[in-house]
Amino acid sequence: MWSWFLARLKGIGNFFASFVIFIVLLPLFFSVVGMFSQPRLPTEMVLTLDLRNGLPDSPRMNFFSEGQNVGSVVDAVTALAAAEKDDRVKGAFIRIGNGGMSPAAAQELRAAFKSFRAKGKFVIAHAQGFYSSGMGDYMLASVANEIWMQPVSEMSTTGVASTTMFLRGLLDKINAVPQFEQRFEYKHAANVYTEKDYTPAHREATTRLLESVFESSTAMIAQDRKRTRDEIVALINSAPHLTREALDAKLIDKQGYDDEALDAALAKAGDEAETKSISEYFSMVGHPWRVPGAPGIAFIHGDGVIMDGTSESGSFGADPTIGGDTVAKAFRNATEDDEVKAILFRVNSPGGSAIASDQILDAVKKAQKAGKKVVISMGDVAASGGYYVSLSADRIFAHETTITGSIGVLSGKIVTTGAFALLGIDTKAIGVGTNALMQSDTQPFTPEQLEKFRKGVDQIYDDFTQKVAAGRKMELAKLREVAKGRVWTGADAKARGLVDEFGGFRAALEATKALAGIPADSDINLIEYPRKRNPFEELAEAFGTTAEVVRAAAVLSEITGSEPVAGLARQLREQRLQGEAPQARMPEQKVE
């Protein structure tokens, strides 16, 4: 009896020991096999990029869709920089038209495709229709050699607009009382709670913002379509246009379905040409600016609302955030790294915490004091706190359509006890200390509290404007004329001294090289801070396990056929192809 039991126990032990060995050795087996079975790129290819839903500024980890990272604007620009020097790449085929492209992101990709075309490559764009009234999609499509549109469709590119929903009337009906302080009249984010219509300053700033975007967009479209700006404006003012009308007006070049446009691109590329997505291509050729041993430039990516604490990467569909601790530490590490000659900071943020913004700015200044030049590349938006963290940089780059400025302060609360009372809910609060309930939404500010509150807002505004004036080397009085919380486009901000140059990530990178004393034609090693977390670490953090457990599960899923987790294993293989260099994973008183 005992011998049978011991034999069974030994058998179970052997089974688990074998299983553990299997788990340990299987990744090694796949690694060895992968060395001999890596996919190869075709000798003639057309790169494909679907932009119908736009691209985020920084990469998003998408665990459950074929195990691939969602692309980003910066990744696409980088991949196109590699492709333009690759003789195997003949051209690109892009799909567009659903209204997914913001004007600034469209500008950034437009510049990348113009550089791509300058090397003898072609670009064909296909739209099933230009469904959005905005300018971003068509502005980007205009860079193509040919614009195709599906028959019996519509081109709805009619201009630039903004809609604001004012909630003051609702708050009055439910007895909720908004109490906000803004510095100054153009800091209008809280107007949705305090007003029932645009104030003169709010209307003026919003109108000018839209006019500036329209002016820049139509000028670029006119340049790409070889028309006068007046002609383009007239055509947009007479829109929407049906496919046939758009073709007759030479706003598009051909009508046809997506497969027909793709076939045309392949025929143009050559008889043996094949398609390859830009993300696949990028994962296989590697990063063009990541050359070990070359002079180092640090790259820090800040994407999202600025908050205290650590950054969030935007996995599982969440919005990314810029954590003050994370980004400040990234600057400190880059400052201490002797390999780093300069720092490129990508900022895509509408603002957020004043305290976290100041923490990041302090780290930027300490990097500069240590001899590291800092260059800012602004994305779609770098306003309020997003401008605050940028203000001391040696050079600031923005697109003409970037939203920036908003040098001001907004803070306050909504007293909700009256609203709850309508539902029969009585909210009572007890505080020990004269101002213990000062920030509570159960009662309004007392006159004494309101005075203290206003002093705090004034202090932040004074500090903000003084730092901008010092960073931009402007007289304080002159700076305060263009501050007042007003939002500007990059075009208007440059005219007022708030930014230095027009351009995106690539232009800013070239400027960073120059400031670091690196010859323009020299290789660089772009070191990303903090280190990029791999998919297993992302998933492990989300579910509170370890990266090793997730990695083992992914390997097993390749055998068991579990597709969602199998995607993680595919990402592991892609990481081997790309290499595992560090990367930034970006995204109260408020600076908004």
Side-chain angles (χ1 to χ4, degrees):
M1 178 68 179
W2 282 108
S3 59
W4 177 88
F5 177 77
L6 291 174
R8 299 287 74 76
L9 187 62
K10 182 178 180 182
I12 293 171
N14 287 338
F15 169 79
F16 280 108
S18 299
F19 181 76
V20 171
I21 293 172
F22 174 75
I23 292 297
V24 172
L25 294 180
L26 197 59
L28 179 60
F29 169 76
F30 278 122
S31 179
V32 173
V33 170
M35 294 173 61
F36 297 98
S37 61
Q38 289 182 6
R40 297 183 182 277
L41 291 169
T43 55
E44 293 180 334
M45 69 186 115
V46 174
L47 300 182
T48 62
L49 182 59
D50 192 335
L51 296 169
R52 287 176 292 179
N53 294 319
L55 284 177
D57 200 72
S58 62
R60 308 283 191 270
M61 197 66 69
N62 190 347
F63 294 98
F64 302 115
S65 63
E66 298 303 319
Q68 293 193 4
N69 284 349
V70 177
S72 71
V73 170
V74 173
D75 281 349
V77 169
T78 305
L80 287 168
E84 70 182 35
K85 298 179 181 179
D86 190 338
D87 291 338
R88 297 170 297 180
V89 177
K90 307 301 179 184
F93 175 72
I94 62 176
R95 300 193 67 185
I96 200 162
N98 287 19
M101 296 304 303
S102 69
Q107 265 197 269
E108 182 123 21
L109 291 174
R110 173 182 176 269
F113 279 116
K114 283 179 74 73
S115 181
F116 182 80
R117 283 191 58 184
K119 299 300 190 294
K121 321 285 186 179
F122 68 83
V123 179
I124 292 180
H126 183 274
Q128 289 178 285
F130 288 95
Y131 302 123
S132 170
S133 62
M135 305 294 293
D137 282 23
Y138 186 64
M139 177 172 61
L140 177 54
S142 295
V143 79
N145 299 75
E146 296 177 5
I147 303 176
W148 289 58
M149 196 164 88
Q150 187 165 308
V152 198
S153 186
E154 186 173 86
M155 183 173 181
S156 299
T157 305
T158 55
V160 188
S162 175
T163 300
T164 302
M165 181 181 291
F166 292 93
L167 302 176
R168 179 59 189 265
L170 172 63
L171 296 182
D172 288 346
K173 286 181 181 295
I174 63 173
N175 296 335
V177 181
Q179 291 191 303
F180 288 91
E181 290 293 320
Q182 57 193 50
R183 297 294 183 272
F184 276 97
E185 65 269 26
Y186 293 102
K187 194 72 173 178
H188 50 64
N191 286 9
V192 297
Y193 306 115
T194 61
E195 306 292 337
K196 295 182 179 181
D197 196 355
Y198 293 101
T199 63
H202 189 176
R203 184 177 295 277
E204 176 195 355
T206 302
T207 300
R208 177 54 204 158
L209 194 75
L210 300 178
E211 288 174 344
S212 182
V213 171
F214 186 76
E215 290 164 4
S216 297
S217 300
T218 50
M220 283 178 253
I221 291 168
Q223 180 187 58
D224 291 339
R225 298 299 293 174
K226 296 178 173 56
R227 308 283 288 275
T228 67
R229 181 175 176 272
D230 287 344
E231 288 175 323
I232 293 298
V233 170
L235 287 167
I236 288 173
N237 285 339
S238 63
H241 301 287
L242 300 178
T243 302
R244 185 70 251 180
E245 294 169 344
L247 187 61
D248 292 342
K250 295 183 171 52
L251 288 169
I252 63 172
D253 301 292
K254 295 184 179 181
Q255 61 174 327
Y257 293 89
D258 55 296
D259 61 327
E260 295 168 342
L262 180 56
D263 287 343
L266 289 170
K268 192 176 182 69
D271 294 337
E272 304 299 322
E274 302 176 29
T275 61
K276 186 66 67 174
S277 74
I278 282 187
S279 60
E280 289 179 294
Y281 174 80
F282 189 29
S283 71
M284 294 174 72
V285 300
H287 204 294
W289 298 308
R290 192 175 291 159
V291 181
I297 289 177
F299 178 53
I300 298 171
H301 203 148
D303 186 12
V305 174
I306 300 172
M307 303 180 70
D308 298 340
T310 59
S311 298
E312 297 294 335
S313 63
S315 301
F316 297 101
D319 291 330
T321 63
I322 300 174
D325 288 353
T326 300
V327 177
K329 184 178 180 181
F331 267 97
R332 293 163 189 157
N333 289 342
T335 302
E336 294 170 0
D337 189 341
D338 292 337
E339 183 182 348
V340 170
K341 308 303 179 187
I343 301 171
L344 174 57
F345 186 21
R346 174 77 169 195
V347 179
N348 188 62
S349 174
S353 164
I355 299 301
S357 298
D358 195 47
Q359 179 186 17
I360 294 170
L361 176 63
D362 177 69
V364 172
K365 289 181 174 180
K366 286 175 179 173
Q368 292 174 296
K369 187 175 181 180
K372 312 278 186 176
K373 298 292 186 180
V374 177
V375 175
I376 299 294
S377 168
M378 292 181 170
D380 285 339
V381 56
S384 202
Y387 189 82
Y388 191 106
V389 300
S390 308
L391 61 86
S392 79
D394 296 277
R395 297 284 291 282
I396 298 177
F397 281 76
H399 298 289
E400 289 91 333
T401 56
T402 292
I403 296 173
T404 189
S406 193
I407 302 167
V409 185
L410 171 67
S411 189
K413 65 182 181 179
I414 298 177
V415 181
T416 59
T417 48
F420 284 116
L422 291 176
L423 300 173
I425 301 172
D426 294 321
T427 304
K428 307 296 182 183
I430 298 174
V432 178
T434 303
N435 295 313
L437 297 176
M438 181 172 170
Q439 300 298 335
S440 172
D441 61 4
T442 61
Q443 62 184 45
F445 294 120
T446 66
E448 294 78 17
Q449 289 172 344
L450 187 58
E451 182 181 356
K452 288 179 178 293
F453 183 69
R454 286 171 173 166
K455 283 183 179 179
V457 173
D458 287 336
Q459 176 179 283
I460 294 175
Y461 182 76
D462 290 344
D463 183 62
F464 194 174
T465 52
Q466 288 171 17
K467 285 175 177 173
V468 175
R472 299 303 300 163
K473 297 177 175 58
M474 296 172 65
E475 293 181 2
L476 183 60
K478 180 180 179 182
L479 181 278
R480 285 184 171 166
E481 282 301 310
V482 299
K484 301 180 181 180
R486 183 158 180 171
V487 176
W488 304 96
T489 61
D492 286 346
K494 184 174 183 293
R496 289 158 178 79
L498 297 180
V499 302
D500 298 300
E501 302 287 346
F502 294 139
F505 167 77
R506 191 169 177 183
L509 181 60
E510 293 303 319
T512 310
K513 287 176 64 176
L515 285 174
I518 303 171
D521 58 352
S522 295
D523 289 330
I524 58 169
N525 187 23
L526 195 66
I527 308 168
E528 301 186 39
Y529 288 87
R531 180 185 68 82
K532 179 180 180 180
R533 293 185 299 190
N534 64 45
F536 307 100
E537 291 170 324
E538 291 273 0
L539 194 60
E541 180 185 40
F543 291 104
T545 182
T546 66
E548 289 74 17
V549 169
V550 177
R551 192 182 298 264
V555 172
L556 283 176
S557 72
E558 290 282 329
I559 298 172
T560 62
S562 175
E563 179 57 29
V565 191
L568 298 178
R570 286 196 291 275
Q571 285 213 28
L572 176 59
R573 290 200 297 271
E574 289 174 8
Q575 279 194 335
R576 290 199 187 101
L577 293 173
Q578 294 180 47
E580 297 206 21
Q583 178 182 359
R585 292 295 298 174
M586 325 293 170
E588 161 179 290
Q589 309 274 13
K590 280 196 175 181
V591 179
E592 294 189 357

